[in-house]
Amino acid sequence: MSHESKVWFITGVSRGLGKVLAETLLAEGATVIGTTRGGSAGIARGQGRLTLLALEMTDPRAVREAVEAAFGLGRVDVIVNNAGYGLLSSVEEASEEQVAHLFDVNFHGPRRVIQAALPHLRAQRSGHIVNITSIAGVAPAAGSGYYAAAKMAVEGMSQSLAREVAPLGIHVTLVEPGAFRTDFLSDRSIRRGGTSLEDYAATAGAAAQRLTAMAGRQPGDPARAAAAIIEAVRSRQPPLHLVLGSDAYQRTREVLEAFSAELEAWKQVGLGTDFAAPGPTPPSGPRA
Ligand SMILES: NC(=O)c1ccc[n+]([C@@H]2O[C@H](COP(=O)([O-])OP(=O)(O)OC[C@H]3O[C@@H](n4cnc5c(N)ncnc54)[C@H](OP(=O)(O)O)[C@@H]3O)[C@@H](O)[C@H]2O)c1
């Protein structure tokens, strides 16, 4: 199958990265099934074929129906779990509702899409699941604890899933972007929990201020992110992790090096927790 004839299912194509990815593919002549909450979007169709479906990620039935509708149109080769949003809050100050909604959209939404798509992908014995997580899912910063937790939940699930479906011909890729210039940090997207306690002013509070001030000046170019995702999907050996942006690269390196150093610094303590090796077996019974 040629690259252009692959069918992509992408959640959240109303704006941002999902929209740019859809438009890039359509310009090349690919077939895109995109979802938006309202089932419509102003998307340039280029040479390709676009079908829009309505999907609110928190509605399990709507997810099942959208995925069934997509496979009902024929095969789907690539599933991109893109829809999502951020929550700026200290861990202590977020409300029960804010945390539950964030997990509903950012973790359970992709999980529902994956569970609905897997029977079809298994039957096809091919497919590629691309989950857009975040650098926060690799290297969490202060002020984004629940966003990081939801993205890490996707990371953990996906890394298990990758091992389960590799023998079935299905790839899994985690896309871990740094800061990209979309609506993500705008008031249309980002939600705010609490960052008002004085004790968190220098950590969660400062991080929230820094991110708010970054809106519109993020270093990452969504068009280049879309091109990188397409390149990874088309590669002969698609990566499990695709870290996007110089900021994300730097933070990932720092986390890996700090983890590695700590692993070695505490190695003897950690290794010392195995059961003691059994000693020589004492002789049993009377000797002749
Ligand atoms: N941009 C970044 O810096 C960055 C960095 C790391 C990770 N990411 C991740 O990249 C993905 C795309 O974000 P973006 O930067 O393109 O942000 P964006 O411009 O805010 O777009 C977010 C998309 O998600 C959709 N969405 C949000 N909540 C939804 C829900 N409950 N049900 C259905 N659709 C929903 C939005 O639809 P509506 O238009 O209807 O709201 C929109 O299409 C997200 O998963 C985000 O976490 C972004």
Side-chain angles (χ1 to χ4, degrees), residues 13-15 19 36 38-45 50 52:
V13 298
S14 59
R15 54 201 170 107
K19 181 176 181 180
T36 65
S40 63
I43 291 189
R45 289 166 191 248
L50 174 68
L52 286 172

PDB file of all heavy atoms in Angstrom, residues 13-15 19 36 38-45 50 52:
ATOM      1  N   VAL A  13      -9.351  17.354  15.426  1.00  0.00           N
ATOM      2  CA  VAL A  13      -8.788  18.057  14.253  1.00  0.00           C
ATOM      3  C   VAL A  13      -9.370  19.460  14.101  1.00  0.00           C
ATOM      4  O   VAL A  13      -9.160  20.101  13.070  1.00  0.00           O
ATOM      5  CB  VAL A  13      -8.983  17.248  12.932  1.00  0.00           C
ATOM      6  CG1 VAL A  13      -8.255  15.920  12.994  1.00  0.00           C
ATOM      7  CG2 VAL A  13     -10.469  17.057  12.608  1.00  0.00           C
ATOM      8  N   SER A  14     -10.090  19.954  15.113  1.00  0.00           N
ATOM      9  CA  SER A  14     -10.694  21.296  14.988  1.00  0.00           C
ATOM     10  C   SER A  14      -9.628  22.378  14.936  1.00  0.00           C
ATOM     11  O   SER A  14      -9.818  23.421  14.317  1.00  0.00           O
ATOM     12  CB  SER A  14     -11.631  21.558  16.172  1.00  0.00           C
ATOM     13  OG  SER A  14     -10.909  21.475  17.383  1.00  0.00           O
ATOM     14  N   ARG A  15      -8.502  22.143  15.601  1.00  0.00           N
ATOM     15  CA  ARG A  15      -7.442  23.156  15.652  1.00  0.00           C
ATOM     16  C   ARG A  15      -6.155  22.507  16.129  1.00  0.00           C
ATOM     17  O   ARG A  15      -6.135  21.309  16.431  1.00  0.00           O
ATOM     18  CB  ARG A  15      -7.846  24.323  16.559  1.00  0.00           C
ATOM     19  CG  ARG A  15      -8.251  23.902  17.961  1.00  0.00           C
ATOM     20  CD  ARG A  15      -9.107  24.978  18.633  1.00  0.00           C
ATOM     21  NE  ARG A  15      -9.698  24.480  19.873  1.00  0.00           N
ATOM     22  CZ  ARG A  15      -9.305  24.833  21.085  1.00  0.00           C
ATOM     23  NH1 ARG A  15      -8.330  25.708  21.233  1.00  0.00           N
ATOM     24  NH2 ARG A  15      -9.889  24.342  22.143  1.00  0.00           N
ATOM     25  N   LYS A  19      -5.242  19.448  13.610  1.00  0.00           N
ATOM     26  CA  LYS A  19      -5.650  20.090  12.359  1.00  0.00           C
ATOM     27  C   LYS A  19      -4.487  20.157  11.384  1.00  0.00           C
ATOM     28  O   LYS A  19      -4.633  19.838  10.190  1.00  0.00           O
ATOM     29  CB  LYS A  19      -6.187  21.498  12.646  1.00  0.00           C
ATOM     30  CG  LYS A  19      -6.648  22.214  11.408  1.00  0.00           C
ATOM     31  CD  LYS A  19      -7.256  23.570  11.729  1.00  0.00           C
ATOM     32  CE  LYS A  19      -7.728  24.226  10.435  1.00  0.00           C
ATOM     33  NZ  LYS A  19      -8.329  25.536  10.642  1.00  0.00           N
ATOM     34  N   THR A  36     -14.129  15.915  15.633  1.00  0.00           N
ATOM     35  CA  THR A  36     -14.219  17.163  16.388  1.00  0.00           C
ATOM     36  C   THR A  36     -15.444  17.021  17.291  1.00  0.00           C
ATOM     37  O   THR A  36     -16.290  16.162  17.052  1.00  0.00           O
ATOM     38  CB  THR A  36     -14.426  18.390  15.479  1.00  0.00           C
ATOM     39  OG1 THR A  36     -15.704  18.279  14.839  1.00  0.00           O
ATOM     40  CG2 THR A  36     -13.337  18.494  14.425  1.00  0.00           C
ATOM     41  N   GLY A  38     -17.993  18.893  17.504  1.00  0.00           N
ATOM     42  CA  GLY A  38     -19.245  19.209  16.811  1.00  0.00           C
ATOM     43  C   GLY A  38     -19.415  18.459  15.498  1.00  0.00           C
ATOM     44  O   GLY A  38     -20.464  18.571  14.860  1.00  0.00           O
ATOM     45  N   GLY A  39     -18.422  17.729  15.056  1.00  0.00           N
ATOM     46  CA  GLY A  39     -18.521  16.994  13.793  1.00  0.00           C
ATOM     47  C   GLY A  39     -18.263  17.845  12.568  1.00  0.00           C
ATOM     48  O   GLY A  39     -18.492  17.399  11.439  1.00  0.00           O
ATOM     49  N   SER A  40     -17.772  19.084  12.769  1.00  0.00           N
ATOM     50  CA  SER A  40     -17.417  19.915  11.610  1.00  0.00           C
ATOM     51  C   SER A  40     -16.127  20.671  11.927  1.00  0.00           C
ATOM     52  O   SER A  40     -15.751  20.804  13.095  1.00  0.00           O
ATOM     53  CB  SER A  40     -18.538  20.909  11.292  1.00  0.00           C
ATOM     54  OG  SER A  40     -18.696  21.784  12.380  1.00  0.00           O
ATOM     55  N   ALA A  41     -15.469  21.140  10.885  1.00  0.00           N
ATOM     56  CA  ALA A  41     -14.231  21.912  11.075  1.00  0.00           C
ATOM     57  C   ALA A  41     -13.842  22.531   9.748  1.00  0.00           C
ATOM     58  O   ALA A  41     -14.134  21.966   8.690  1.00  0.00           O
ATOM     59  CB  ALA A  41     -13.097  21.005  11.571  1.00  0.00           C
ATOM     60  N   GLY A  42     -13.193  23.680   9.789  1.00  0.00           N
ATOM     61  CA  GLY A  42     -12.714  24.309   8.558  1.00  0.00           C
ATOM     62  C   GLY A  42     -11.339  23.768   8.229  1.00  0.00           C
ATOM     63  O   GLY A  42     -10.328  24.271   8.721  1.00  0.00           O
ATOM     64  N   ILE A  43     -11.322  22.710   7.424  1.00  0.00           N
ATOM     65  CA  ILE A  43     -10.040  22.054   7.119  1.00  0.00           C
ATOM     66  C   ILE A  43      -9.813  22.060   5.622  1.00  0.00           C
ATOM     67  O   ILE A  43     -10.720  21.719   4.847  1.00  0.00           O
ATOM     68  CB  ILE A  43     -10.059  20.600   7.649  1.00  0.00           C
ATOM     69  CG1 ILE A  43     -10.052  20.644   9.178  1.00  0.00           C
ATOM     70  CG2 ILE A  43      -8.905  19.793   7.125  1.00  0.00           C
ATOM     71  CD1 ILE A  43      -9.864  19.319   9.828  1.00  0.00           C
ATOM     72  N   ALA A  44      -8.598  22.431   5.209  1.00  0.00           N
ATOM     73  CA  ALA A  44      -8.253  22.412   3.781  1.00  0.00           C
ATOM     74  C   ALA A  44      -8.111  20.961   3.336  1.00  0.00           C
ATOM     75  O   ALA A  44      -7.315  20.209   3.904  1.00  0.00           O
ATOM     76  CB  ALA A  44      -6.946  23.168   3.564  1.00  0.00           C
ATOM     77  N   ARG A  45      -8.895  20.553   2.332  1.00  0.00           N
ATOM     78  CA  ARG A  45      -8.936  19.128   1.956  1.00  0.00           C
ATOM     79  C   ARG A  45      -7.852  18.730   0.965  1.00  0.00           C
ATOM     80  O   ARG A  45      -7.613  17.530   0.773  1.00  0.00           O
ATOM     81  CB  ARG A  45     -10.314  18.780   1.367  1.00  0.00           C
ATOM     82  CG  ARG A  45     -11.367  18.777   2.465  1.00  0.00           C
ATOM     83  CD  ARG A  45     -12.788  18.778   1.960  1.00  0.00           C
ATOM     84  NE  ARG A  45     -13.705  19.044   3.067  1.00  0.00           N
ATOM     85  CZ  ARG A  45     -14.570  18.166   3.564  1.00  0.00           C
ATOM     86  NH1 ARG A  45     -14.670  16.977   3.044  1.00  0.00           N
ATOM     87  NH2 ARG A  45     -15.348  18.489   4.569  1.00  0.00           N
ATOM     88  N   LEU A  50     -11.504  13.598   3.077  1.00  0.00           N
ATOM     89  CA  LEU A  50     -11.741  13.880   4.502  1.00  0.00           C
ATOM     90  C   LEU A  50     -13.150  13.480   4.903  1.00  0.00           C
ATOM     91  O   LEU A  50     -14.117  13.838   4.236  1.00  0.00           O
ATOM     92  CB  LEU A  50     -11.543  15.378   4.782  1.00  0.00           C
ATOM     93  CG  LEU A  50     -11.908  15.847   6.200  1.00  0.00           C
ATOM     94  CD1 LEU A  50     -10.945  15.269   7.239  1.00  0.00           C
ATOM     95  CD2 LEU A  50     -11.910  17.379   6.274  1.00  0.00           C
ATOM     96  N   LEU A  52     -15.457  13.799   8.425  1.00  0.00           N
ATOM     97  CA  LEU A  52     -15.469  14.328   9.792  1.00  0.00           C
ATOM     98  C   LEU A  52     -16.539  13.619  10.610  1.00  0.00           C
ATOM     99  O   LEU A  52     -17.659  13.400  10.138  1.00  0.00           O
ATOM    100  CB  LEU A  52     -15.749  15.835   9.776  1.00  0.00           C
ATOM    101  CG  LEU A  52     -14.590  16.705   9.302  1.00  0.00           C
ATOM    102  CD1 LEU A  52     -15.035  18.153   9.140  1.00  0.00           C
ATOM    103  CD2 LEU A  52     -13.409  16.631  10.264  1.00  0.00           C
TER     104      LEU A  52
END
